[in-house]
Amino acid sequence: MQSFFEVKRPDEVFRIIEHLIRPAGEEKVPLTEALDRVLNRDLTAPEDLPGFFRSTMDGYAVRSRSTFGASEGLPALFQLTGEVLMGTASGLAVKEGQAVKMPTGGMLPEGADSVVMKEYCHRLDDETIEVSRTVSPLENVIGPGDDFSKGTVFLKKGHRLRPQDVGVMAGFGMTDVPVFRRPRIAVISTGDEIVSVDQIPLPGQVRDVNQYTLAALCRKGGAEPLPLGLCPDNFDALKGMVHKALDQADSVWISGGSSVGTRDLTLRVFESLPDFKLLVHGISISPGKPTIIGRSGAKTVIGLPGHVASSLVVAWVFMTPIISRLSGYTGLPRQWGAEVEAKLSRNIPSANGREDYVRVKLVETEAGLTATPIFGKSGLISTLVDADGLVRIDMDTEGLYQGERVKVMLFDYTEGGRQ
């Protein structure tokens, strides 16, 4: 049985994740399903957007030089020669001293180079308006390519698509979007003491929590969880379940069995896998030191602590970057990194030589946000339920002091990165 002789620093683990985890695959999805997916290639503008000069205001299209010198005291007079309707090319032309009525988004008539807002125009009769303000060339107008010029890259590979990104693709007429496939992550809970959530635990038994928290984190991170159920502390049973999981998933997460002890099965099962390489066997953090990260071929296998708080904190810190890498995302990992500053309400001790991730509750006060540490053993999920986020204590620091300003990494954020 191996011990944690080569415990890695968190920064080493992040570098391993960055350099060794590759996207799970590629596919095309309909534009209606593109939100939150990650592009697998650069997208280039097939045309100018917009494709014509458009008004950005309700008003009147004019030649700007015809308004020079116009003011409230000395308005300029214009002959009204027609009206542009939405969705049509009017066929009208604007000459010196002429104006055409414009709706917002309407196509400018030939000869016009600006639009006077209707608030600065007064209609004298059916054929005459007066303008009380000077406008500049292209004022209240957008032209061809002002959004994106033909041939320019408008979205880059590895970008996670937002509502506005879906909008620009719609503007270019894209109906299918090339994206990386959502990674499939198999989740297994191990332990003879674990029972299904629909059972009443007998003395010495507990319901399975980790499978549900980890699956929810996968889903929140943009992956497709494959909860495979419970496995007893039995080498052959776990080995069979892991082989089955690797046939279905891009990554396998096992909670329980990763701590040093006589019932440590996870590493032995991983070592029995084809083309297995151990990447991490222990991380210098608290909670969550007994974490295993390895690869079987191109697939990532993970051994997480069995205690519910340790398992979820480690997953939040290290598994969300793995999900991002499997998803093809080249920015900052999901969830990890939305930060607010707060003052500590009390001292937090920490042991030198490890990073501590302390759960905190945020309270709004007259002086600003206060972060109150929530202490508790790693088997308690209440410390996470009551918390709003995590405070990271550097491994070369012996603690933080009351009143010190800290960064709190929020649990409920959905985009961001480790700062």
Side-chain angles (χ1 to χ4, degrees):
M1 186 63 58
Q2 296 189 36
S3 298
F4 295 97
F5 291 130
E6 297 184 8
V7 174
K8 294 191 181 298
R9 295 168 54 102
D11 57 339
E12 294 178 299
V13 178
F14 284 115
R15 284 197 295 271
I16 289 171
I17 292 171
E18 181 179 356
H19 291 111
L20 296 182
I21 308 299
R22 295 290 179 263
E26 299 180 351
E27 63 182 353
K28 281 192 174 184
V29 297
L31 181 63
T32 53
E33 299 176 13
L35 180 65
D36 222 25
R37 301 301 297 272
V38 178
L39 287 174
N40 67 28
R41 62 177 176 84
D42 290 349
L43 296 185
T44 302
E47 59 193 42
D48 286 336
L49 189 70
F52 55 89
F53 287 99
R54 303 175 63 189
S55 172
T56 62
M57 298 286 178
D58 289 344
Y60 293 87
V62 298
R63 291 188 176 185
S64 57
R65 63 186 180 187
S66 298
T67 69
F68 292 170
S71 65
E72 289 187 8
L74 188 63
L77 298 179
F78 287 82
Q79 177 190 6
L80 184 60
T81 60
E83 179 178 359
V84 169
L85 302 178
M86 287 297 294
T88 64
S90 67
L92 297 172
V94 172
K95 300 178 181 178
E96 291 287 346
Q98 293 182 336
V100 170
K101 188 176 181 181
M102 293 293 303
T104 300
M107 182 177 179
L108 249 65
E110 184 181 347
D113 66 356
S114 59
V115 172
V116 184
M117 293 173 59
K118 65 180 181 180
E119 289 82 355
Y120 300 108
C121 301
H122 176 64
R123 196 160 179 166
L124 299 178
D125 54 42
D126 289 344
E127 295 183 356
T128 310
I129 64 168
E130 60 180 16
V131 173
S132 59
R133 183 181 182 277
T134 296
V135 291
S136 304
L138 300 181
E139 187 168 344
N140 301 322
V141 170
I142 57 175
D146 276 0
D147 251 345
F148 296 97
S149 299
K150 181 178 180 179
T152 60
V153 173
F154 65 93
L155 290 172
K156 289 186 174 293
K157 177 182 178 180
H159 176 70
R160 195 185 301 278
L161 295 170
R162 305 162 297 172
Q164 57 267 46
D165 305 322
V166 175
V168 70
M169 290 187 291
F172 284 124
M174 295 182 62
T175 57
D176 295 304
V177 183
V179 296
F180 289 107
R181 179 171 56 77
R182 291 189 190 275
R184 292 186 290 269
I185 297 177
V187 182
I188 302 170
S189 291
T190 64
D192 292 335
E193 78 283 9
I194 307 297
V195 298
S196 175
V197 295
D198 58 358
Q199 293 185 18
I200 297 176
L202 298 174
Q205 296 180 331
V206 293
R207 291 189 178 96
D208 179 19
V209 172
N210 288 349
Q211 186 164 196
Y212 293 89
T213 57
L214 295 175
L217 183 137
C218 289
R219 191 172 290 110
K220 187 177 179 71
E224 295 179 7
L226 300 175
L228 296 186
L230 305 176
C231 184
D233 288 324
N234 177 278
F235 178 84
D236 291 331
L238 184 56
K239 179 180 177 181
M241 188 171 281
V242 171
H243 277 274
K244 176 183 175 182
L246 287 172
D247 289 337
Q248 303 177 53
D250 303 296
S251 182
V252 180
W253 298 2
I254 301 173
S255 68
S258 62
S259 60
V260 178
T262 60
R263 309 186 82 180
D264 184 356
L265 298 176
T266 301
L267 183 56
R268 287 200 290 134
V269 168
F270 286 169
E271 289 174 335
S272 72
L273 298 174
D275 195 21
F276 175 73
K277 181 178 181 181
L278 181 63
L279 304 176
V280 176
H281 191 195
I283 307 174
S284 54
I285 64 167
S286 176
K289 177 181 177 181
T291 297
I292 300 168
I293 302 176
R295 292 178 67 186
S296 176
K299 299 192 176 184
T300 310
V301 290
I302 310 292
L304 295 169
H307 287 154
V308 292
S310 296
S311 179
L312 191 54
V313 168
V314 169
W316 201 278
V317 175
F318 297 103
M319 299 305 105
T320 48
I322 286 177
I323 292 174
S324 289
R325 298 295 297 179
L326 288 171
S327 301
Y329 183 53
T330 57
L332 299 170
R334 291 179 63 84
Q335 289 121 353
W336 186 251
E339 296 182 334
V340 295
E341 280 201 355
K343 279 188 177 181
L344 276 182
S345 66
R346 54 159 293 176
N347 295 344
I348 304 178
S350 176
N352 214 333
R354 74 182 187 197
E355 276 192 0
D356 278 357
Y357 290 86
V358 180
R359 288 135 278 180
V360 296
K361 177 75 174 177
L362 291 172
V363 179
E364 185 74 55
T365 68
E366 291 184 0
L369 281 177
T370 296
T372 300
I374 301 175
F375 298 110
K377 295 181 179 180
S378 58
L380 303 177
I381 197 169
S382 60
T383 59
L384 286 169
V385 172
D386 294 338
D388 295 307
L390 299 171
V391 169
R392 179 172 65 90
I393 304 178
D394 289 337
M395 63 189 309
D396 298 323
T397 302
E398 295 185 354
L400 300 173
Y401 294 96
Q402 179 180 351
E404 189 171 344
R405 298 200 66 82
V406 295
K407 291 182 178 180
V408 179
M409 295 162 283
L410 301 177
F411 285 139
D412 62 354
Y413 197 64
T414 57
E415 193 71 83
R418 188 173 192 262
Q419 302 298 314

